[in-house]
Amino acid sequence: EDQVTQSPEALRLQEGESSSLNCSYTVSGLRGLFWYRQDPGKGPEFLFTLYSAGEEKEKERLKATLTKKESFLHITAPKPEDSATYLCAVHKTHPSSGTYKYIFGTGTRLKVLA
Amino acid sequence: DGGITQSPKYLFRKEGQNVTLSCEQNLNHDAMYWYRQDPGQGLRLIYYSQIVNDFQKGDIAEGYSVSREKKESFPLTVTSAQKNPTAFYLCASSISGRPSYEQYFGPGTRLTVT
């Protein structure tokens, strides 16, 4: 069964304390993996797309990496404004019908303390 | 500025009433989506549309209906047949129907049915 699992569910960091969030997936026919940031009561904001194992993308204090089974979102020297829920999603295509879908994980709630 | 708008932000209805949630985008995207987000669960796909006048059911379409008469608009109707309609509803869009493109989300509508 196609599945996306994010860990940990919640993470508390001190300002400046670097860490990583994990997104593991069991999806056949992966076409892309996406990271989003979601603030409370708001829609997800797109961060990164990764297409193939070994790929890396960076934006300010965030770096996303991808292997064949999982993706990591590395947060370097986080600040309180990085506090949010980070969502991971994968896209897959049905091999015979060609239909596609995005499968979302449940997210990691990050809290950065000043 | 280009983006996705959803209205209203908060919506309250009595049980047994149908309600329509608005979603408009000016990104010139072909594909549009509706998701439902509940606490502790990942985003679940309700309906999606790749082109005007065409749409497909997602994983949890029962009790919902949509229309796609214009490229810019993809309204969602929550009918009285939806057994647990209280949730946070998110509309998204992406370039064409190609699955490797990221989705952009609106701000969401929080629906409360009592």
Side-chain angles (χ1 to χ4, degrees), chain A residues 55-71:
Chain A
E55 189 174 0
E56 298 184 353
K57 295 272 181 75
E58 283 190 69
K59 179 180 180 181
E60 295 181 354
R61 295 176 293 281
L62 301 176
K63 184 170 79 172
T65 61
L66 181 65
T67 72
K68 289 187 177 180
K69 294 183 178 180
E70 58 191 349
S71 177

Side-chain angles (χ1 to χ4, degrees), chain A residues 13-47:
Chain A
L13 299 173
Q14 292 293 325
E15 185 173 2
E17 180 186 1
S18 302
S19 188
S20 297
L21 313 182
N22 177 261
C23 172
S24 63
Y25 59 90
T26 52
V27 173
S28 58
L30 178 74
R31 298 294 297 274
L33 185 141
F34 310 92
W35 281 99
Y36 294 87
R37 169 192 170 125
Q38 186 176 25
D39 292 302
K42 297 188 177 181
E45 174 190 347
F46 169 72
L47 294 173

Side-chain angles (χ1 to χ4, degrees), chain A residues 1-5 23-28 69 90 103-105:
Chain A
E1 182 186 355
D2 296 326
Q3 203 163 15
V4 176
T5 303
C23 172
S24 63
Y25 59 90
T26 52
V27 173
S28 58
K69 294 183 178 180
V90 301
I103 305 169
F104 282 82

Side-chain angles (χ1 to χ4, degrees), chain B residues 71-96:
Chain B
K71 187 176 184 178
E72 302 80 18
S73 179
F74 192 40
L76 173 74
T77 297
V78 184
T79 75
S80 57
Q82 168 50 230
K83 295 180 180 179
N84 186 20
T86 294
F88 188 50
Y89 290 88
L90 288 161
C91 178
S93 70
S94 67
I95 296 175
S96 73

Side-chain angles (χ1 to χ4, degrees), chain B residues 52-72:
Chain B
V52 174
N53 293 322
D54 187 47
F55 48 83
Q56 288 78 40
K57 293 181 179 180
D59 298 320
I60 56 165
E62 186 177 350
Y64 300 98
S65 66
V66 293
S67 62
R68 186 85 186 279
E69 297 177 1
K70 299 188 299 182
K71 187 176 184 178
E72 302 80 18

